[in-house]
Coordinates of all heavy atoms in Angstrom, one line a residue:
M588 N -3.2 -0.2 -12.1 CA -2.7 0.0 -10.7 C -2.2 1.5 -10.6 O -1.3 1.9 -11.3 CB -1.5 -0.9 -10.5 CG -0.8 -0.7 -9.2 SD -1.7 -0.9 -7.7 CE -1.9 -2.7 -7.7
R589 N -2.8 2.2 -9.8 CA -2.4 3.6 -9.6 C -1.6 3.9 -8.4 O -1.0 5.0 -8.3 CB -3.7 4.5 -9.5 CG -4.5 4.4 -10.8 CD -5.7 5.2 -10.8 NE -6.3 5.3 -12.1 CZ -7.2 6.1 -12.5 NH1 -7.8 6.9 -11.6 NH2 -7.6 6.2 -13.7
L590 N -1.5 2.9 -7.5 CA -0.7 3.1 -6.3 C 0.8 2.9 -6.6 O 1.1 2.1 -7.4 CB -1.2 2.2 -5.2 CG -2.6 2.6 -4.7 CD1 -3.2 1.4 -4.0 CD2 -2.6 3.8 -3.8
R591 N 1.6 3.5 -5.8 CA 3.0 3.3 -5.9 C 3.6 3.0 -4.5 O 3.0 3.4 -3.5 CB 3.7 4.6 -6.4 CG 3.4 4.8 -7.9 CD 4.4 5.8 -8.5 NE 4.3 7.1 -7.9 CZ 4.1 8.2 -8.6 NH1 3.9 8.1 -9.9 NH2 4.0 9.4 -8.1
E592 N 4.8 2.4 -4.5 CA 5.5 2.2 -3.2 C 5.7 3.6 -2.5 O 6.1 4.6 -3.2 CB 6.8 1.5 -3.4 CG 6.6 0.1 -3.7 CD 7.8 -0.6 -4.3 OE1 9.0 -0.1 -4.0 OE2 7.7 -1.6 -5.0
G593 N 5.5 3.6 -1.2 CA 5.7 4.8 -0.5 C 4.5 5.7 -0.3 O 4.5 6.6 0.5
D594 N 3.4 5.3 -1.0 CA 2.1 6.1 -0.9 C 1.6 6.0 0.5 O 1.6 4.9 1.1 CB 1.1 5.6 -1.9 CG 1.4 6.1 -3.3 OD1 2.2 7.0 -3.5 OD2 0.7 5.5 -4.2
K595 N 1.0 7.0 1.0 CA 0.3 7.0 2.3 C -1.2 6.6 1.9 O -1.8 7.2 1.1 CB 0.2 8.4 2.9 CG 1.3 8.6 3.9 CD 1.0 9.9 4.8 CE 0.9 11.1 3.9 NZ 0.6 12.3 4.7
V596 N -1.6 5.5 2.6 CA -3.0 5.0 2.3 C -3.8 4.8 3.5 O -3.3 4.6 4.6 CB -2.9 3.7 1.4 CG1 -2.3 4.0 0.1 CG2 -2.2 2.6 2.2
K597 N -5.1 4.8 3.3 CA -6.0 4.4 4.4 C -6.7 3.1 4.0 O -7.1 2.9 2.8 CB -7.1 5.5 4.6 CG -8.0 5.2 5.7 CD -8.8 6.4 6.2 CE -9.6 6.0 7.4 NZ -10.1 7.2 8.2
V598 N -6.8 2.1 4.9 CA -7.4 0.9 4.6 C -8.9 1.0 4.8 O -9.4 1.5 5.8 CB -6.8 -0.2 5.6 CG1 -7.4 -1.6 5.3 CG2 -5.3 -0.3 5.5
M599 N -9.7 0.6 3.8 CA -11.1 0.8 3.8 C -11.9 -0.5 4.0 O -13.1 -0.5 4.2 CB -11.5 1.3 2.4 CG -10.8 2.6 1.9 SD -10.7 3.9 3.2 CE -12.4 4.5 3.1
A600 N -11.2 -1.6 4.1 CA -11.9 -2.9 4.3 C -11.0 -3.9 5.0 O -9.8 -3.7 5.1 CB -12.4 -3.5 3.0
G601 N -11.6 -4.9 5.6 CA -10.9 -6.0 6.2 C -10.6 -5.7 7.7 O -11.1 -4.8 8.2
K602 N -9.8 -6.6 8.3 CA -9.7 -6.5 9.7 C -8.9 -5.2 10.2 O -9.0 -4.8 11.4 CB -9.0 -7.7 10.3 CG -7.5 -7.9 9.8 CD -6.8 -9.0 10.5 CE -5.4 -9.1 10.0 NZ -4.6 -10.0 10.8
D603 N -8.1 -4.6 9.3 CA -7.4 -3.4 9.7 C -8.1 -2.1 9.1 O -7.5 -1.1 8.9 CB -6.0 -3.5 9.2 CG -5.2 -4.5 10.0 OD1 -5.3 -4.5 11.2 OD2 -4.5 -5.3 9.4
S604 N -9.4 -2.3 8.8 CA -10.1 -1.2 8.2 C -10.0 0.1 9.1 O -10.1 0.1 10.3 CB -11.6 -1.6 8.1 OG -12.4 -0.6 7.5
G605 N -9.7 1.2 8.4 CA -9.6 2.5 9.1 C -8.1 2.9 9.4 O -7.8 4.0 9.8
R606 N -7.2 1.9 9.3 CA -5.8 2.2 9.6 C -5.1 2.9 8.5 O -5.4 2.7 7.3 CB -5.1 0.9 9.9 CG -3.7 1.1 10.5 CD -3.1 -0.2 10.9 NE -3.7 -0.9 12.0 CZ -3.3 -2.0 12.5 NH1 -2.2 -2.6 12.1 NH2 -3.9 -2.6 13.5
E607 N -4.2 3.8 8.9 CA -3.5 4.5 7.9 C -2.0 4.1 8.0 O -1.5 3.9 9.1 CB -3.5 6.0 8.2 CG -4.9 6.6 7.9 CD -5.0 8.1 8.2 OE1 -4.0 8.7 8.5 OE2 -6.1 8.6 8.2
S608 N -1.5 3.8 6.8 CA -0.1 3.3 6.8 C 0.5 3.7 5.4 O 0.0 4.5 4.7 CB 0.0 1.8 7.1 OG 1.3 1.5 7.3
R609 N 1.6 2.9 5.1 CA 2.4 3.3 3.9 C 2.5 2.0 3.0 O 2.7 0.9 3.5 CB 3.8 3.7 4.4 CG 4.7 4.3 3.4 CD 5.9 4.9 4.2 NE 6.6 3.9 4.9 CZ 7.6 3.2 4.4 NH1 8.0 3.4 3.2 NH2 8.2 2.2 5.1
V610 N 2.4 2.2 1.7 CA 2.6 1.1 0.8 C 4.0 0.7 0.7 O 4.9 1.6 0.4 CB 2.1 1.5 -0.6 CG1 2.3 0.3 -1.6 CG2 0.6 1.8 -0.6
I611 N 4.3 -0.6 1.0 CA 5.7 -1.0 0.9 C 6.0 -1.8 -0.3 O 7.1 -2.0 -0.7 CB 6.2 -1.7 2.2 CG1 5.3 -2.8 2.6 CG2 6.4 -0.7 3.3 CD1 5.8 -3.6 3.8
R612 N 4.9 -2.3 -0.9 CA 5.2 -3.1 -2.2 C 3.9 -3.1 -3.0 O 2.8 -3.1 -2.5 CB 5.5 -4.6 -1.8 CG 6.6 -5.1 -2.8 CD 7.1 -6.4 -2.4 NE 7.3 -7.2 -3.6 CZ 7.3 -8.5 -3.6 NH1 7.2 -9.2 -2.5 NH2 7.4 -9.1 -4.8
V613 N 4.1 -3.1 -4.3 CA 2.9 -3.1 -5.2 C 3.0 -4.3 -6.1 O 4.1 -4.7 -6.6 CB 3.0 -1.8 -6.1 CG1 1.8 -1.9 -7.1 CG2 2.9 -0.6 -5.3
L614 N 1.9 -5.1 -6.2 CA 1.9 -6.3 -7.0 C 0.9 -6.0 -8.2 O -0.3 -6.4 -8.1 CB 1.5 -7.5 -6.2 CG 2.2 -7.7 -4.9 CD1 1.5 -8.8 -4.0 CD2 3.7 -8.1 -5.1
P615 N 1.3 -5.4 -9.2 CA 0.4 -4.9 -10.3 C -0.4 -6.1 -10.9 O -1.5 -5.9 -11.3 CB 1.3 -4.2 -11.3 CG 2.6 -4.0 -10.6 CD 2.7 -5.1 -9.5
K616 N 0.3 -7.2 -11.2 CA -0.4 -8.3 -11.8 C -1.6 -8.9 -11.1 O -2.6 -9.3 -11.6 CB 0.6 -9.4 -12.1 CG 1.5 -9.1 -13.3 CD 2.5 -10.2 -13.6 CE 3.5 -9.8 -14.6 NZ 4.7 -10.6 -14.6
K617 N -1.4 -8.8 -9.7 CA -2.5 -9.3 -8.9 C -3.4 -8.2 -8.4 O -4.4 -8.5 -7.7 CB -1.9 -10.0 -7.7 CG -1.1 -11.3 -8.0 CD -0.5 -11.9 -6.8 CE 0.2 -13.2 -7.1 NZ 1.0 -13.7 -6.0
N618 N -3.1 -7.0 -8.8 CA -3.8 -5.8 -8.3 C -3.9 -5.7 -6.8 O -4.9 -5.5 -6.2 CB -5.2 -5.8 -8.9 CG -5.8 -4.4 -9.0 OD1 -5.1 -3.4 -9.3 ND2 -7.1 -4.2 -8.7
K619 N -2.7 -6.1 -6.2 CA -2.7 -6.0 -4.7 C -1.5 -5.2 -4.3 O -0.6 -4.9 -5.0 CB -2.5 -7.5 -4.2 CG -3.7 -8.3 -4.3 CD -3.5 -9.7 -3.9 CE -4.7 -10.6 -4.0 NZ -5.6 -10.5 -2.9
V620 N -1.6 -4.7 -3.0 CA -0.5 -4.0 -2.4 C -0.2 -4.5 -1.1 O -1.1 -5.1 -0.4 CB -0.9 -2.5 -2.3 CG1 -1.0 -1.8 -3.6 CG2 -2.2 -2.3 -1.5
I621 N 1.0 -4.4 -0.6 CA 1.4 -4.7 0.7 C 1.6 -3.4 1.5 O 2.4 -2.5 1.1 CB 2.7 -5.6 0.7 CG1 2.4 -6.9 0.0 CG2 3.1 -5.9 2.2 CD1 3.6 -7.8 -0.1
V622 N 0.9 -3.3 2.6 CA 0.9 -2.1 3.4 C 1.5 -2.4 4.7 O 1.2 -3.4 5.3 CB -0.6 -1.5 3.6 CG1 -0.5 -0.2 4.3 CG2 -1.2 -1.3 2.2
E623 N 2.4 -1.5 5.1 CA 3.2 -1.7 6.3 C 2.3 -1.9 7.6 O 1.4 -1.1 7.9 CB 4.1 -0.5 6.6 CG 5.2 -0.7 7.6 CD 6.2 0.4 7.6 OE1 5.7 1.6 7.6 OE2 7.4 0.2 7.6
N624 N 2.5 -3.0 8.3 CA 1.8 -3.4 9.5 C 0.3 -3.5 9.3 O -0.5 -3.2 10.2 CB 2.1 -2.3 10.6 CG 3.6 -2.4 11.0 OD1 4.2 -3.4 11.0 ND2 4.1 -1.2 11.3
V625 N -0.1 -3.8 8.1 CA -1.5 -4.0 7.9 C -1.7 -5.4 7.3 O -0.9 -5.9 6.5 CB -2.1 -3.0 6.9 CG1 -3.5 -3.3 6.3 CG2 -2.1 -1.6 7.5
N626 N -2.8 -6.1 7.8 CA -3.2 -7.4 7.3 C -2.0 -8.4 7.7 O -1.7 -9.2 6.8 CB -3.4 -7.4 5.8 CG -4.3 -8.6 5.4 OD1 -5.1 -9.1 6.2 ND2 -4.2 -9.0 4.2
T627 N -1.5 -8.3 8.8 CA -0.4 -9.1 9.2 C -0.9 -10.5 9.6 O -2.0 -10.7 10.1 CB 0.4 -8.5 10.4 OG1 -0.5 -8.2 11.4 CG2 1.2 -7.3 10.0
A628 N -0.1 -11.5 9.3 CA -0.4 -12.9 9.7 C 0.8 -13.4 10.4 O 2.0 -13.1 10.1 CB -0.6 -13.7 8.4
K629 N 0.5 -14.2 11.4 CA 1.6 -14.9 12.1 C 2.2 -16.0 11.3 O 1.4 -16.8 10.8 CB 1.1 -15.5 13.4 CG 0.4 -14.4 14.3 CD 1.5 -13.7 15.1 CE 0.8 -12.7 16.1 NZ 1.6 -11.6 16.4
R630 N 3.5 -16.0 11.1 CA 4.1 -17.0 10.4 C 5.1 -17.7 11.3 O 5.9 -17.1 12.0 CB 4.9 -16.4 9.2 CG 4.0 -16.1 8.0 CD 3.4 -17.3 7.5 NE 2.4 -17.1 6.4 CZ 2.7 -16.9 5.1 NH1 4.0 -17.1 4.7 NH2 1.8 -16.7 4.2
H631 N 5.1 -19.0 11.2 CA 6.1 -19.8 12.0 C 7.3 -19.9 11.1 O 7.3 -20.4 10.0 CB 5.5 -21.2 12.4 CG 4.4 -21.1 13.3 ND1 4.5 -21.2 14.7 CD2 3.1 -20.8 13.1 CE1 3.4 -21.0 15.2 NE2 2.5 -20.8 14.3
Q632 N 8.4 -19.5 11.7 CA 9.7 -19.4 11.0 C 10.7 -20.5 11.6 O 10.9 -20.4 12.8 CB 10.3 -18.0 11.1 CG 11.6 -17.8 10.5 CD 11.4 -17.5 9.0 OE1 10.7 -16.6 8.6 NE2 12.1 -18.2 8.2
K633 N 11.2 -21.3 10.8 CA 12.2 -22.3 11.3 C 13.5 -21.6 11.4 O 13.9 -20.8 10.5 CB 12.3 -23.5 10.3 CG 11.1 -24.4 10.4 CD 11.4 -25.6 9.5 CE 10.1 -26.5 9.5 NZ 9.8 -27.1 8.2
P634 N 14.3 -22.0 12.4 CA 15.6 -21.4 12.5 C 16.5 -21.8 11.3 O 16.4 -22.9 10.9 CB 16.2 -22.0 13.8 CG 15.1 -22.8 14.4 CD 14.0 -22.9 13.4
R635 N 17.2 -20.8 10.8 CA 18.0 -21.1 9.6 C 19.4 -20.6 9.9 O 19.6 -19.4 10.1 CB 17.5 -20.4 8.4 CG 17.2 -21.3 7.3 CD 16.6 -20.6 6.1 NE 15.1 -20.8 6.0 CZ 14.2 -19.9 5.6 NH1 14.6 -18.7 5.3 NH2 13.0 -20.2 5.6
G636 N 20.4 -21.4 10.0 CA 21.7 -21.0 10.3 C 21.9 -20.4 11.7 O 21.1 -20.7 12.5
Q637 N 22.9 -19.7 11.9 CA 23.2 -19.2 13.2 C 22.6 -17.8 13.4 O 22.4 -17.4 14.6 CB 24.7 -19.1 13.4 CG 25.3 -20.5 13.5 CD 26.9 -20.5 13.6 OE1 27.5 -19.5 13.3 NE2 27.4 -21.6 14.1
T638 N 22.4 -17.1 12.4 CA 22.0 -15.7 12.6 C 20.5 -15.6 12.6 O 19.9 -14.7 13.3 CB 22.5 -14.8 11.4 OG1 22.1 -15.4 10.2 CG2 24.0 -14.6 11.5
M639 N 19.7 -16.4 11.9 CA 18.3 -16.3 12.0 C 17.7 -17.1 13.1 O 17.9 -18.3 13.2 CB 17.7 -16.8 10.6 CG 17.4 -15.6 9.7 SD 16.5 -16.2 8.2 CE 14.8 -16.1 8.8
Q640 N 16.9 -16.5 13.9 CA 16.2 -17.2 14.9 C 14.9 -17.7 14.4 O 14.2 -17.1 13.6 CB 15.9 -16.2 16.1 CG 17.2 -15.8 16.8 CD 17.0 -15.5 18.2 OE1 15.9 -15.1 18.6 NE2 18.0 -15.6 19.0
G641 N 14.5 -18.8 15.0 CA 13.2 -19.4 14.7 C 12.1 -18.7 15.6 O 12.4 -17.8 16.4
G642 N 10.9 -19.0 15.4 CA 9.8 -18.4 16.2 C 8.7 -17.9 15.3 O 8.6 -18.3 14.1
I643 N 7.9 -17.1 15.9 CA 6.7 -16.6 15.2 C 7.0 -15.2 14.8 O 7.3 -14.3 15.6 CB 5.4 -16.7 16.1 CG1 5.2 -18.2 16.4 CG2 4.2 -16.1 15.3 CD1 4.1 -18.3 17.5
I644 N 6.8 -14.9 13.5 CA 7.0 -13.5 13.0 C 5.8 -13.0 12.4 O 4.9 -13.7 12.0 CB 8.2 -13.5 12.0 CG1 7.9 -14.4 10.8 CG2 9.5 -13.8 12.6 CD1 8.7 -14.1 9.6
D645 N 5.6 -11.7 12.4 CA 4.5 -11.0 11.8 C 4.9 -10.7 10.3 O 5.9 -10.1 10.1 CB 4.2 -9.7 12.5 CG 3.4 -9.9 13.8 OD1 2.7 -10.9 13.8 OD2 3.6 -9.2 14.7
K646 N 4.0 -11.1 9.4 CA 4.3 -10.9 8.0 C 3.1 -10.1 7.4 O 2.0 -10.5 7.7 CB 4.4 -12.3 7.3 CG 4.9 -12.2 5.9 CD 5.3 -13.6 5.4 CE 5.3 -13.7 3.9 NZ 6.1 -12.7 3.2
D647 N 3.5 -9.1 6.7 CA 2.4 -8.3 6.1 C 1.9 -9.0 4.8 O 2.7 -9.2 3.9 CB 2.9 -6.9 5.7 CG 3.4 -6.1 6.9 OD1 2.9 -6.4 8.0 OD2 4.2 -5.1 6.7
M648 N 0.6 -9.3 4.8 CA 0.0 -10.0 3.6 C -0.6 -9.0 2.6 O -1.0 -7.9 3.0 CB -1.0 -10.9 4.1 CG -0.5 -12.0 5.1 SD 0.8 -13.0 4.5 CE -0.2 -14.0 3.3
P649 N -0.6 -9.3 1.3 CA -1.1 -8.4 0.3 C -2.6 -8.1 0.6 O -3.4 -9.0 1.0 CB -0.9 -9.2 -1.0 CG 0.1 -10.2 -0.7 CD -0.1 -10.6 0.7
L650 N -3.0 -6.9 0.2 CA -4.4 -6.5 0.3 C -4.8 -6.2 -1.2 O -4.0 -5.7 -2.0 CB -4.5 -5.2 1.0 CG -4.3 -5.0 2.5 CD1 -4.4 -3.6 2.8 CD2 -5.5 -5.7 3.2
D651 N -6.1 -6.3 -1.4 CA -6.6 -5.9 -2.7 C -6.4 -4.4 -2.8 O -6.8 -3.6 -1.9 CB -8.1 -6.2 -2.8 CG -8.4 -6.8 -4.1 OD1 -8.0 -8.0 -4.3 OD2 -9.0 -6.1 -4.9
A652 N -5.9 -3.9 -4.0 CA -5.7 -2.5 -4.1 C -7.0 -1.7 -4.0 O -6.9 -0.5 -3.6 CB -5.0 -2.2 -5.5
S653 N -8.1 -2.3 -4.3 CA -9.4 -1.6 -4.2 C -9.8 -1.4 -2.8 O -10.7 -0.6 -2.6 CB -10.5 -2.4 -5.0 OG -10.6 -3.7 -4.4
N654 N -9.1 -2.0 -1.9 CA -9.5 -1.8 -0.5 C -8.7 -0.8 0.3 O -8.9 -0.6 1.5 CB -9.4 -3.2 0.3 CG -10.4 -4.2 -0.1 OD1 -11.5 -3.8 -0.7 ND2 -10.2 -5.4 0.1
V655 N -7.8 -0.1 -0.5 CA -7.1 1.0 0.2 C -7.3 2.3 -0.7 O -7.6 2.2 -1.9 CB -5.6 0.8 0.3 CG1 -5.3 -0.5 1.1 CG2 -4.9 0.7 -1.1
M656 N -7.3 3.4 0.0 CA -7.4 4.7 -0.7 C -6.2 5.5 -0.3 O -5.7 5.5 0.8 CB -8.7 5.5 -0.2 CG -9.9 4.9 -0.8 SD -11.4 5.8 -0.3 CE -11.5 7.0 -1.7
I657 N -5.7 6.3 -1.4 CA -4.5 7.1 -1.1 C -5.0 8.3 -0.2 O -6.1 8.7 -0.3 CB -3.9 7.6 -2.4 CG1 -2.5 8.2 -2.2 CG2 -4.8 8.6 -3.2 CD1 -1.7 8.2 -3.4
I658 N -4.1 8.8 0.6 CA -4.4 9.9 1.4 C -3.8 11.2 0.8 O -2.6 11.3 0.6 CB -3.9 9.7 2.9 CG1 -4.5 8.5 3.5 CG2 -4.1 11.0 3.7 CD1 -4.0 8.1 4.8
C659 N -4.6 12.2 0.6 CA -4.2 13.5 0.1 C -3.9 14.3 1.3 O -4.7 14.3 2.3 CB -5.3 14.1 -0.7 SG -5.1 15.8 -1.1
D660 N -2.8 15.1 1.3 CA -2.5 15.9 2.4 C -3.6 17.0 2.7 O -3.8 17.4 3.9 CB -1.2 16.7 2.2 CG 0.0 15.7 2.2 OD1 -0.1 14.7 2.9 OD2 1.0 16.0 1.6
E661 N -4.3 17.4 1.7 CA -5.3 18.4 1.8 C -6.7 17.8 2.3 O -7.3 18.4 3.1 CB -5.5 19.1 0.5 CG -4.4 19.9 0.0 CD -4.0 21.1 0.9 OE1 -5.0 21.7 1.5 OE2 -2.8 21.4 1.1
C662 N -7.1 16.7 1.7 CA -8.5 16.3 1.9 C -8.6 14.9 2.5 O -9.7 14.4 2.6 CB -9.3 16.5 0.7 SG -8.5 16.5 -0.9
G663 N -7.5 14.2 2.8 CA -7.7 12.9 3.4 C -7.8 11.8 2.3 O -7.4 12.0 1.2
P664 N -8.5 10.7 2.6 CA -8.6 9.6 1.7 C -9.3 10.1 0.4 O -10.3 10.7 0.5 CB -9.5 8.6 2.4 CG -9.4 8.9 3.8 CD -9.2 10.4 3.9
T665 N -8.8 9.7 -0.7 CA -9.3 10.2 -2.0 C -9.0 9.2 -3.1 O -8.3 8.2 -2.9 CB -8.7 11.6 -2.3 OG1 -9.4 12.1 -3.5 CG2 -7.2 11.4 -2.7
R666 N -9.5 9.5 -4.3 CA -9.2 8.6 -5.4 C -8.1 9.4 -6.3 O -8.0 10.6 -6.2 CB -10.4 8.4 -6.3 CG -11.3 7.3 -5.6 CD -12.5 6.9 -6.5 NE -13.4 8.0 -6.8 CZ -13.6 8.4 -8.0 NH1 -13.1 7.8 -9.1 NH2 -14.4 9.4 -8.2
I667 N -7.4 8.6 -7.1 CA -6.3 9.2 -7.9 C -6.8 9.5 -9.3 O -7.5 8.7 -9.9 CB -5.2 8.2 -8.0 CG1 -4.6 7.9 -6.6 CG2 -4.1 8.7 -8.9 CD1 -3.6 6.7 -6.6
G668 N -6.6 10.7 -9.7 CA -6.8 11.1 -11.1 C -5.5 11.4 -11.8 O -4.4 11.3 -11.2
Y669 N -5.6 11.6 -13.1 CA -4.4 12.0 -13.8 C -4.6 13.3 -14.5 O -5.7 13.6 -15.0 CB -4.0 10.9 -14.8 CG -3.4 9.7 -14.2 CD1 -4.2 8.5 -14.0 CD2 -2.1 9.7 -13.7 CE1 -3.7 7.4 -13.4 CE2 -1.6 8.5 -13.1 CZ -2.3 7.4 -13.0 OH -1.8 6.3 -12.4
R670 N -3.5 14.0 -14.6 CA -3.5 15.2 -15.4 C -2.3 15.1 -16.4 O -1.2 14.6 -16.0 CB -3.3 16.4 -14.5 CG -3.4 17.8 -15.3 CD -3.4 18.9 -14.3 NE -2.2 18.8 -13.4 CZ -2.2 19.2 -12.1 NH1 -3.3 19.6 -11.6 NH2 -1.1 19.1 -11.5
V671 N -2.5 15.4 -17.7 CA -1.5 15.3 -18.7 C -1.1 16.7 -19.1 O -2.0 17.5 -19.4 CB -2.0 14.5 -19.9 CG1 -0.8 14.4 -20.9 CG2 -2.4 13.1 -19.5
D672 N 0.2 17.1 -19.0 CA 0.6 18.4 -19.3 C 0.9 18.5 -20.8 O 0.8 17.5 -21.6 CB 1.8 18.9 -18.5 CG 3.1 18.1 -18.8 OD1 3.1 17.4 -19.8 OD2 4.0 18.2 -18.0
G673 N 1.3 19.7 -21.3 CA 1.6 19.9 -22.7 C 2.6 19.0 -23.3 O 2.6 18.7 -24.5
D674 N 3.5 18.5 -22.5 CA 4.6 17.6 -23.0 C 4.2 16.1 -22.9 O 5.0 15.3 -23.2 CB 5.8 17.8 -22.2 CG 6.4 19.2 -22.3 OD1 6.3 19.8 -23.4 OD2 6.9 19.7 -21.3
G675 N 2.9 15.9 -22.5 CA 2.5 14.5 -22.4 C 2.9 13.8 -21.2 O 2.7 12.6 -21.0
N676 N 3.4 14.5 -20.2 CA 3.7 13.9 -18.9 C 2.5 13.7 -18.1 O 1.7 14.7 -17.9 CB 4.8 14.7 -18.2 CG 6.1 14.8 -18.9 OD1 6.6 13.8 -19.4 ND2 6.6 16.0 -19.0
K677 N 2.3 12.5 -17.5 CA 1.2 12.3 -16.7 C 1.5 12.6 -15.2 O 2.6 12.2 -14.7 CB 0.8 10.8 -16.8 CG -0.2 10.6 -17.9 CD -1.2 9.4 -17.7 CE -0.5 8.1 -17.7 NZ -1.5 7.0 -17.7
T678 N 0.7 13.3 -14.6 CA 0.9 13.6 -13.1 C -0.3 13.0 -12.4 O -1.5 13.1 -12.8 CB 0.9 15.1 -12.9 OG1 1.8 15.7 -13.8 CG2 1.3 15.4 -11.5
R679 N -0.1 12.4 -11.3 CA -1.2 11.9 -10.4 C -1.7 13.0 -9.6 O -1.0 13.8 -9.0 CB -0.7 10.8 -9.5 CG -0.3 9.5 -10.2 CD -0.1 8.4 -9.2 NE 0.6 8.8 -8.1 CZ 0.8 8.0 -7.0 NH1 0.3 6.8 -6.9 NH2 1.5 8.5 -5.9
T680 N -3.0 13.1 -9.6 CA -3.7 14.2 -8.9 C -4.8 13.6 -8.0 O -5.3 12.5 -8.2 CB -4.3 15.2 -9.9 OG1 -5.3 14.5 -10.7 CG2 -3.3 15.9 -10.7
C681 N -5.2 14.4 -7.0 CA -6.3 14.1 -6.2 C -7.6 14.5 -6.9 O -7.6 15.6 -7.4 CB -6.1 14.9 -4.9 SG -7.6 15.0 -3.9
V682 N -8.6 13.6 -6.9 CA -9.8 14.0 -7.7 C -10.6 15.0 -7.0 O -11.4 15.7 -7.6 CB -10.7 12.7 -8.0 CG1 -10.0 11.8 -8.9 CG2 -11.1 12.0 -6.7
K683 N -10.3 15.2 -5.7 CA -11.1 16.2 -4.9 C -10.6 17.6 -5.1 O -11.3 18.5 -5.4 CB -11.2 15.8 -3.4 CG -12.0 14.6 -3.2 CD -12.1 14.3 -1.7 CE -12.7 13.0 -1.3 NZ -12.5 12.6 0.1
C684 N -9.3 17.8 -4.8 CA -8.8 19.2 -4.9 C -7.9 19.4 -6.1 O -7.5 20.5 -6.3 CB -8.0 19.4 -3.6 SG -6.4 18.5 -3.4
G685 N -7.5 18.4 -6.8 CA -6.7 18.6 -8.0 C -5.2 18.7 -7.7 O -4.4 18.9 -8.6
G686 N -4.9 18.6 -6.4 CA -3.5 18.7 -6.1 C -2.7 17.5 -6.5 O -3.2 16.4 -6.7
E687 N -1.4 17.7 -6.6 CA -0.5 16.6 -7.0 C -0.4 15.6 -5.9 O -0.3 15.9 -4.7 CB 0.9 17.1 -7.4 CG 1.0 17.4 -8.8 CD 2.5 17.7 -9.2 OE1 3.4 17.1 -8.7 OE2 2.7 18.7 -10.0
L688 N -0.3 14.3 -6.2 CA -0.1 13.3 -5.2 C 1.3 12.7 -5.4 O 1.8 12.6 -6.5 CB -1.1 12.1 -5.4 CG -2.6 12.5 -5.0 CD1 -3.5 11.4 -5.4 CD2 -2.7 12.8 -3.5
Ligands
LIG2022 ZN1 -6.9 16.5 -2.3

């Protein structure tokens, strides 16, 4: 899993294909990500207590990580590469321009 929470991504497949949004959760074991306002499903919510209202809410459902691409500020949707510096620190880079992501 190369994506992280907060990454800007473009959706490449599914009903929200082409949409750009932000990763709000990463599920590494399932190789899935939850992207803000993408792949939403209507969920019926029962009222709970006095503060929570019942009704239909939109819930963001996980997407396969392979169906989103990170967006590089320089070149748009791209794949993630890694660069290791002299101290062994790994930096995520754009495979197209080599810039840090
Ligand atoms: Zn780039």
